[in-house]
Amino acid sequence: MDFGVVLQVNPPAPRIVGLAKRAEEHGFDYFWTYDSHVLWHEPYVVFSQILSNTTQIKVGTMVTNPATRDATVTASTFATLNAYFGNRTICGIGRGDSAVRVTNGKPTTLRELRESVHVIRELANSRSVDIEGSTIRFPWSRNSQLDVWVAAYGPLALKLAGEVGDGFILQCADVDIAKWMIQTVRTAAENAGRDPDVKICVAGPMYITDGSPEGKAHAIDQCRWFGGMVGNHVADIVARYGTESDVPHALTAYIAGRQGYDYNEHGKSGNSHVDFVPDEIVERFCIIGTAEEHREKLAMLKALGVTQFAGYLDHDNKEETLRVYGETVIPAVRDHYAAKV
């Protein structure tokens, strides 16, 4: 299993770069950021600084979208970063949430998302693609490599992820929900004639506690915002499919008390409008507790076929969580190889 960090591109930028360096020092493989250009800094500018100050870690969007980003521009940006820093980028993409809703836009259709995945992947892998009757290619791009991973929750979006994604991003660390969604994606891949062994990234807040009830209660409050963020996507699913769809009840039931969402507080601890998210959901959707509790839940996700866990650090315990993961969690969960057999 690989490990990633997810963080807002919140100023000051040197703080973000410093956390990326620390993540690399502690053995993390990926550093993902939100892509919401009004709420926070432009991520690709910060990516260039991270890449120039690290040697191994990969950077990527969790997630970009085809509504605020033209697919050819996104492809060119990733290919340019690869040209300067080696192939150390990854593209996570979805239909759009905060980046489009802040400007009163709407998420794209699945058809538009499908086409964007194709255009971004071909161009950013130094290949040609047909656009509006013309064959387009970056003449300056050589040997660029970029995987495009699709973020999804609803049945049709999960189907698309299996059919076209190099990987699937599930922003929810609930084991039961992950099991259903991973199987749905793999079935779609197999039905499309693809290898069903799709790469899977499960993402959710990670918070290391001292094992006390008070510590856990504080951590739950620090991560409650995540249930509100996931609730935005769940609300779209319920509006489209109702509450009796194939989507697991654990994902759809908790938003019954949802009263809207203020994107000015998107992804922030202490969010003032997520009281509807119960403690149980926070614990299910996140990984909260001692190092041993983190190892136990990660082992369950790994057994489901999860190939990467990406932990959100949008809380007050960033450095300590990175340290404990680097010293005791990641070494215990990674595959081990003997020097001599």
Side-chain angles (χ1 to χ4, degrees), residues 24 37 83 132 147 171 194 247 299 323 330:
E24 181 177 76
H37 60 289
E132 300 293 335
D147 280 354
Q171 290 162 299
R194 306 181 73 206
V247 179
R323 182 191 69 80
I330 292 176

Side-chain angles (χ1 to χ4, degrees), residues 15 28 45 58 72 78 188 210 230 234 250 255 280 317 338:
R15 167 77 162 144
F28 285 84
V45 176
K58 292 186 176 182
T72 62
F78 277 113
D210 60 5
V230 173
V234 176
I255 68 163
E280 176 192 1
N317 200 32

Side-chain angles (χ1 to χ4, degrees), residues 163-177:
E163 291 174 345
V164 304
D166 295 311
F168 162 54
I169 296 173
L170 170 58
Q171 290 162 299
C172 176
D174 181 89
V175 175
D176 294 332
I177 292 171

Side-chain angles (χ1 to χ4, degrees), residues 116-137:
S116 293
V117 169
H118 174 65
V119 169
I120 292 168
R121 179 163 47 218
E122 296 308 298
L123 289 177
N125 281 279
S126 302
R127 298 191 292 261
S128 300
V129 66
D130 290 335
I131 300 177
E132 300 293 335
S134 297
T135 300
I136 305 297
R137 180 169 181 163

Side-chain angles (χ1 to χ4, degrees), residues 74-281:
T74 298
S76 179
T77 304
F78 277 113
T80 300
L81 289 171
N82 284 342
Y84 274 82
F85 301 107
N87 292 312
R88 293 171 54 201
T89 63
I90 186 167
C91 177
I93 191 169
R95 294 178 56 219
D97 181 33
S98 62
V100 295
R101 297 188 201 268
V102 164
T103 54
N104 297 319
K106 294 181 179 179
T108 63
T109 66
L110 290 176
R111 180 179 179 179
E112 291 168 329
L113 176 58
R114 182 187 295 269
E115 178 62 23
S116 293
V117 169
H118 174 65
V119 169
I120 292 168
R121 179 163 47 218
E122 296 308 298
L123 289 177
N125 281 279
S126 302
R127 298 191 292 261
S128 300
V129 66
D130 290 335
I131 300 177
E132 300 293 335
S134 297
T135 300
I136 305 297
R137 180 169 181 163
F138 300 145
W140 45 265
S141 180
R142 298 286 187 276
N143 303 315
S144 177
Q145 296 175 18
L146 180 76
D147 280 354
V148 182
W149 292 27
V150 177
Y153 290 102
L156 292 179
L158 292 169
K159 181 173 179 288
L160 184 150
E163 291 174 345
V164 304
D166 295 311
F168 162 54
I169 296 173
L170 170 58
Q171 290 162 299
C172 176
D174 181 89
V175 175
D176 294 332
I177 292 171
K179 181 178 180 180
W180 179 82
M181 291 196 173
I182 290 169
Q183 186 56 54
T184 301
V185 169
R186 286 177 169 167
T187 298
E190 187 171 19
N191 290 342
R194 306 181 73 206
D195 183 352
D197 192 20
V198 178
K199 293 178 181 178
I200 307 292
C201 175
V202 163
M206 54 180 179
Y207 196 111
I208 293 289
T209 72
D210 60 5
S212 69
E214 296 79 11
K216 176 164 281 191
H218 176 75
I220 288 172
D221 282 339
Q222 283 286 303
C223 298
R224 198 179 306 276
W225 63 267
F226 187 69
M229 186 184 82
V230 173
N232 297 330
H233 302 283
V234 176
D236 288 343
I237 294 171
V238 171
R240 181 179 179 89
Y241 300 101
T243 58
E244 303 302 321
S245 68
D246 292 336
V247 179
H249 189 65
L251 185 61
T252 58
Y254 82 97
I255 68 163
R258 183 176 180 269
Q259 299 293 323
Y261 191 83
D262 182 359
Y263 279 93
N264 288 306
E265 296 184 301
H266 187 58
K268 292 183 178 180
S269 297
N271 194 313
S272 64
H273 54 275
V274 294
D275 290 343
F276 71 94
V277 182
D279 290 1
E280 176 192 1
I281 287 295

Side-chain angles (χ1 to χ4, degrees), residues 28 206-209 294 312-313 315 317-326 329:
F28 285 84
M206 54 180 179
Y207 196 111
I208 293 289
T209 72
H294 281 248
Y312 286 81
L313 278 182
H315 53 63
N317 200 32
K318 296 176 177 63
E319 282 82 2
E320 178 64 4
T321 297
L322 287 176
R323 182 191 69 80
V324 174
Y325 258 72
V329 176

